[in-house]
Amino acid sequence: EDQVTQSPEALRLQEGESSSLNCSYTVSGLRGLFWYRQDPGKGPEFLFTLYSAGEEKEKERLKATLTKKESFLHITAPKPEDSATYLCAVNNAGNMLTFGGGTRLMVKP
Amino acid sequence: DAGVTQSPTHLIKTRGQQVTLRCSPKSGHDTVSWYQQALGQGPQFIFQYYEEEERQRGNFPDRFSGHQFPNYSSELNVNALLLGDSALYLCASSNSPTDTQYFGPGTRLTVL
């Protein structure tokens, strides 16, 4: 059975304080690892897709990396508007997304 | 270009009732997937529709059923509602069953 575990569950940062979120996974036949951002009461917003170990993608203050067992979402010099829940998901050979529980990020000014 | 849309936004039902939720995919997308998200948890896959057929199903009982129409829009039906069905129901669409999924705003269902 596919499993995704995210840590930490919650993270408080000061504005400008860089950090990383972790996503550990076990999956049969990885067809992609996805990062989404979700604001309270809204649907997840797509950020990145990673397909193979060693791959990296960047968008503004966010950078996602992938190894064979985990992915990291690095946040550089975060701002209060980066506060949200960040979700990691894997797409297996059956084409269904399995999500982790998310990391709730709070950035204080 | 309109993204994924869902209706209604909120819904309140009582135990034992039935509910229908609707989803219109992003323009150009032909695949629709449905997810249930309980408060404080990640979304859980319910099922996926492609070419008007259910292609993949998660670990949900038969009370959860769906349909996809020729214009690719989709419905999620839940029968015999339980208190535990209270959640945010998310619809996601994609270019194909294997492509990146884009989510709608969700329907908040409350069962009393």
Side-chain angles (χ1 to χ4, degrees):
Chain A
E1 185 178 318
D2 301 340
Q3 284 195 328
V4 178
T5 304
Q6 292 187 245
S7 62
E9 288 186 7
L11 182 61
R12 280 193 181 196
L13 298 174
Q14 286 296 128
E15 183 172 1
E17 180 187 1
S18 302
S19 188
S20 295
L21 282 54
N22 177 264
C23 171
S24 298
Y25 66 92
T26 54
V27 63
S28 54
L30 180 70
R31 286 193 176 183
L33 184 139
F34 300 81
W35 283 98
Y36 289 87
R37 168 194 169 125
Q38 186 174 30
D39 293 304
K42 298 191 176 181
E45 174 190 346
F46 170 72
L47 293 174
F48 304 109
T49 309
L50 302 166
Y51 291 102
S52 56
E55 191 175 357
E56 298 183 352
K57 289 203 176 161
E58 284 189 69
K59 178 181 178 180
E60 295 180 358
R61 294 178 292 281
L62 301 177
K63 178 180 175 181
T65 61
L66 181 66
T67 72
K68 287 187 178 179
K69 292 184 179 181
E70 55 192 353
S71 177
F72 293 93
L73 184 66
H74 308 277
I75 303 177
T76 302
K79 298 182 177 182
E81 52 262 42
D82 294 323
S83 297
T85 295
Y86 290 86
L87 296 165
C88 169
V90 294
N91 190 355
N92 65 8
N95 299 325
M96 55 179 276
L97 288 181
T98 300
F99 280 86
T103 292
R104 194 169 64 256
L105 174 66
M106 292 157 280
V107 182
K108 300 242 173 184
Chain B
D1 177 25
V4 180
T5 59
Q6 292 186 243
S7 63
T9 306
H10 297 90
L11 206 50
I12 299 176
K13 292 285 188 178
T14 56
R15 280 178 295 174
Q17 285 189 312
Q18 178 263 344
V19 69
T20 297
L21 311 182
R22 295 176 176 84
C23 171
S24 290
K26 191 175 165 69
S27 177
H29 286 184
D30 60 8
T31 304
V32 173
S33 303
W34 287 92
Y35 293 81
Q36 180 194 67
Q37 187 176 27
L39 205 59
Q41 298 182 21
Q44 283 199 302
F45 177 77
I46 302 175
F47 43 53
Q48 181 182 79
Y49 277 85
Y50 173 64
E51 292 185 335
E52 300 181 51
E53 288 188 14
E54 183 182 295
R55 298 290 177 163
Q56 190 80 12
R57 188 177 184 94
N59 189 24
F60 279 81
D62 292 344
R63 298 187 297 109
F64 290 76
S65 63
H67 188 77
Q68 186 179 36
F69 300 93
N71 67 353
Y72 308 121
S73 67
S74 177
E75 287 182 350
L76 164 65
N77 301 292
V78 187
N79 294 322
L81 285 167
L82 304 173
L83 294 179
D85 294 332
S86 295
L88 181 67
Y89 287 85
L90 296 164
C91 167
S93 73
S94 54
N95 237 343
S96 74
T98 60
D99 208 353
T100 297
Q101 295 181 28
Y102 294 86
F103 285 82
T107 294
R108 171 69 63 188
L109 172 65
T110 303
V111 182
L112 303 176

